[in-house]
Amino acid sequence: MPKISEVFQEYGFKDDRLTLLAGPCAIESYETCVEVVEELKKITDELGINYVFKASFDKANRSSMSSDRGAGMEAGLEVLRKIKEEYNVPIVTDVHESYQCAPVAEVADVLQIPAYLSRQTDLLLAAAKTGRVVNIKKAQFMAPEDIQSAVTKVETEDKRVLVTERGTMFGYHQLVVDMTSLIQMRETGYPVIFDATHSVQIPSGYGNHSGGNRDYIFPLMRAALAIGIDGIFAEVHPNPPKAISDQDSQLYLSKARPILEEANKLFHEHLNSKVVYADEDLL
């Protein structure tokens, strides 16, 4: 099965480096995206971290009809195209409909399947047929071993896959992260990513929009890195309280450096660890 270096072969990613998928939740403006990509690229270049810029052109699964959904596909893809060309970074963005996959793949290097849609067969197949990397987010209602069914659908067309853990529903308006799921998802044979910011969401916590607890982001990230993962997904914004979405669960851009420095250290500590799991077949 492909490793990070094979999934992102054209960008020279290395397997012995932490991989980061990060950027603002939604494309609010070209200027905001530039502010984020410039700082994160500078940090990741200095720390030797593989970096993929993330931003969504459409937040289609908003709690309320009145919520701002972002730039839209046409304008959003133009922003992502500029970011890709000017900063030489791969791009990851969400797709919600099968018809979106082909045009989005003309710009994005990774088509991300939102967690709520990770059982949608037609969407998974359409994404896989583009030949781009497909990042499947495990649904909040899905057991970790069930992600294999989604992976199998994509494998019928392509084997450039990432699987992402983003928390599991625990009653109403509450997510928990079962850290053993990171080990179980490794059985797919594909790189495992931990979504540190969506995992602290409180879905529909404010009734017409979601809440979250930013204070839990790094503790959960630290635990995931200690268990052993290939990469981190994180939404990062210059001023999260003013963002159009996920105000309570995006990281402050100004605080990204110390968090990534510690994350990178933890990644390499695990990489060099001699400790093995009881079932060595999981390694």
Tab-separated table of all heavy atoms in Angstrom, residues 144 178-188 192 227-229 277 279 282-283:
chain	number	residue	atom	x	y	z
A	144	PRO	N	-14.290	2.433	13.592
A	144	PRO	CA	-13.035	2.577	12.846
A	144	PRO	C	-12.819	1.524	11.777
A	144	PRO	O	-12.314	1.827	10.693
A	144	PRO	CB	-11.958	2.519	13.932
A	144	PRO	CG	-12.625	1.995	15.152
A	144	PRO	CD	-14.054	2.383	15.044
A	178	ASP	N	-11.677	8.118	20.167
A	178	ASP	CA	-11.183	6.817	20.619
A	178	ASP	C	-9.811	6.617	19.983
A	178	ASP	O	-9.703	6.364	18.786
A	178	ASP	CB	-12.154	5.720	20.188
A	178	ASP	CG	-11.666	4.319	20.542
A	178	ASP	OD1	-10.600	4.202	21.189
A	178	ASP	OD2	-12.349	3.358	20.169
A	179	MET	N	-8.763	6.760	20.771
A	179	MET	CA	-7.413	6.708	20.229
A	179	MET	C	-7.070	5.341	19.642
A	179	MET	O	-6.196	5.233	18.780
A	179	MET	CB	-6.396	7.109	21.300
A	179	MET	CG	-6.445	8.581	21.648
A	179	MET	SD	-5.946	9.614	20.243
A	179	MET	CE	-6.470	11.244	20.799
A	180	THR	N	-7.771	4.288	20.089
A	180	THR	CA	-7.494	2.975	19.495
A	180	THR	C	-7.943	2.927	18.030
A	180	THR	O	-7.487	2.085	17.259
A	180	THR	CB	-8.180	1.833	20.260
A	180	THR	OG1	-9.596	1.952	20.147
A	180	THR	CG2	-7.792	1.859	21.739
A	181	SER	N	-8.843	3.854	17.637
A	181	SER	CA	-9.281	3.866	16.239
A	181	SER	C	-8.123	4.193	15.304
A	181	SER	O	-8.095	3.739	14.154
A	181	SER	CB	-10.408	4.880	16.043
A	181	SER	OG	-9.937	6.207	16.160
A	182	LEU	N	-7.156	4.971	15.783
A	182	LEU	CA	-5.997	5.305	14.960
A	182	LEU	C	-5.172	4.062	14.645
A	182	LEU	O	-4.579	3.947	13.569
A	182	LEU	CB	-5.132	6.350	15.666
A	182	LEU	CG	-5.827	7.687	15.934
A	182	LEU	CD1	-4.978	8.547	16.862
A	182	LEU	CD2	-6.115	8.424	14.640
A	183	ILE	N	-5.142	3.127	15.592
A	183	ILE	CA	-4.437	1.863	15.373
A	183	ILE	C	-5.249	0.974	14.431
A	183	ILE	O	-4.717	0.372	13.497
A	183	ILE	CB	-4.192	1.142	16.712
A	183	ILE	CG1	-3.345	2.020	17.654
A	183	ILE	CG2	-3.496	-0.204	16.479
A	183	ILE	CD1	-3.220	1.472	19.056
A	184	GLN	N	-6.572	0.918	14.659
A	184	GLN	CA	-7.417	0.062	13.823
A	184	GLN	C	-7.471	0.553	12.368
A	184	GLN	O	-7.479	-0.257	11.441
A	184	GLN	CB	-8.827	0.012	14.411
A	184	GLN	CG	-8.886	-0.669	15.770
A	184	GLN	CD	-10.285	-0.652	16.352
A	184	GLN	OE1	-11.191	-1.300	15.840
A	184	GLN	NE2	-10.479	0.102	17.412
A	185	MET	N	-7.491	1.875	12.185
A	185	MET	CA	-7.551	2.409	10.828
A	185	MET	C	-6.272	2.158	10.052
A	185	MET	O	-6.254	2.166	8.822
A	185	MET	CB	-7.871	3.904	10.877
A	185	MET	CG	-9.315	4.185	11.278
A	185	MET	SD	-9.650	5.912	11.695
A	185	MET	CE	-9.443	6.688	10.095
A	186	ARG	N	-5.196	1.874	10.757
A	186	ARG	CA	-3.928	1.550	10.108
A	186	ARG	C	-4.027	0.234	9.338
A	186	ARG	O	-3.243	-0.032	8.430
A	186	ARG	CB	-2.830	1.472	11.179
A	186	ARG	CG	-1.444	1.828	10.671
A	186	ARG	CD	-0.413	1.710	11.756
A	186	ARG	NE	-0.379	2.903	12.576
A	186	ARG	CZ	-0.301	2.915	13.898
A	186	ARG	NH1	-0.294	1.781	14.557
A	186	ARG	NH2	-0.253	4.042	14.557
A	187	GLU	N	-4.992	-0.601	9.706
A	187	GLU	CA	-5.162	-1.882	9.023
A	187	GLU	C	-5.606	-1.704	7.570
A	187	GLU	O	-5.520	-2.643	6.778
A	187	GLU	CB	-6.168	-2.753	9.783
A	187	GLU	CG	-5.670	-3.216	11.143
A	187	GLU	CD	-6.607	-4.209	11.798
A	187	GLU	OE1	-7.399	-4.850	11.080
A	187	GLU	OE2	-6.547	-4.351	13.026
A	188	THR	N	-6.072	-0.523	7.204
A	188	THR	CA	-6.404	-0.274	5.801
A	188	THR	C	-5.158	-0.299	4.925
A	188	THR	O	-5.244	-0.497	3.712
A	188	THR	CB	-7.092	1.097	5.620
A	188	THR	OG1	-6.177	2.137	6.008
A	188	THR	CG2	-8.376	1.184	6.446
A	192	VAL	N	-2.598	7.362	7.905
A	192	VAL	CA	-3.648	7.775	8.834
A	192	VAL	C	-3.398	9.216	9.268
A	192	VAL	O	-2.302	9.563	9.715
A	192	VAL	CB	-3.695	6.855	10.066
A	192	VAL	CG1	-4.727	7.360	11.080
A	192	VAL	CG2	-4.024	5.421	9.652
A	227	ILE	N	0.579	7.827	19.874
A	227	ILE	CA	0.131	6.523	19.394
A	227	ILE	C	0.800	6.188	18.062
A	227	ILE	O	1.174	5.057	17.796
A	227	ILE	CB	-1.403	6.500	19.269
A	227	ILE	CG1	-2.019	6.346	20.655
A	227	ILE	CG2	-1.876	5.380	18.349
A	227	ILE	CD1	-3.511	6.361	20.682
A	228	GLY	N	0.938	7.207	17.222
A	228	GLY	CA	1.585	7.004	15.928
A	228	GLY	C	0.644	7.235	14.766
A	228	GLY	O	-0.254	6.432	14.524
A	229	ILE	N	0.823	8.351	14.076
A	229	ILE	CA	0.025	8.691	12.906
A	229	ILE	C	0.967	9.244	11.840
A	229	ILE	O	2.132	9.524	12.110
A	229	ILE	CB	-1.068	9.728	13.240
A	229	ILE	CG1	-0.450	10.934	13.973
A	229	ILE	CG2	-2.185	9.105	14.051
A	229	ILE	CD1	-1.421	12.047	14.273
A	277	TYR	N	3.550	-2.546	19.292
A	277	TYR	CA	2.243	-2.938	19.797
A	277	TYR	C	2.229	-4.455	20.016
A	277	TYR	O	3.047	-5.188	19.482
A	277	TYR	CB	1.159	-2.533	18.801
A	277	TYR	CG	1.061	-1.045	18.614
A	277	TYR	CD1	1.563	-0.443	17.471
A	277	TYR	CD2	0.505	-0.236	19.610
A	277	TYR	CE1	1.493	0.929	17.297
A	277	TYR	CE2	0.457	1.126	19.456
A	277	TYR	CZ	0.941	1.711	18.301
A	277	TYR	OH	0.886	3.067	18.139
A	279	ASP	N	0.268	-6.666	18.919
A	279	ASP	CA	0.107	-7.348	17.634
A	279	ASP	C	0.995	-6.643	16.615
A	279	ASP	O	0.650	-5.590	16.080
A	279	ASP	CB	-1.348	-7.287	17.215
A	279	ASP	CG	-1.600	-8.065	15.918
A	279	ASP	OD1	-0.616	-8.480	15.281
A	279	ASP	OD2	-2.775	-8.274	15.578
A	282	LEU	N	0.104	-4.941	13.179
A	282	LEU	CA	-0.491	-3.607	13.035
A	282	LEU	C	0.524	-2.558	12.632
A	282	LEU	O	0.164	-1.456	12.252
A	282	LEU	CB	-1.156	-3.173	14.353
A	282	LEU	CG	-2.392	-3.952	14.792
A	282	LEU	CD1	-2.873	-3.435	16.140
A	282	LEU	CD2	-3.500	-3.820	13.777
A	283	LEU	N	1.799	-2.881	12.741
A	283	LEU	CA	2.822	-1.870	12.448
A	283	LEU	C	2.957	-1.647	10.955
A	283	LEU	O	2.745	-2.541	10.173
A	283	LEU	CB	4.170	-2.309	13.029
A	283	LEU	CG	4.201	-2.384	14.571
A	283	LEU	CD1	5.563	-2.869	15.020
A	283	LEU	CD2	3.911	-1.027	15.173
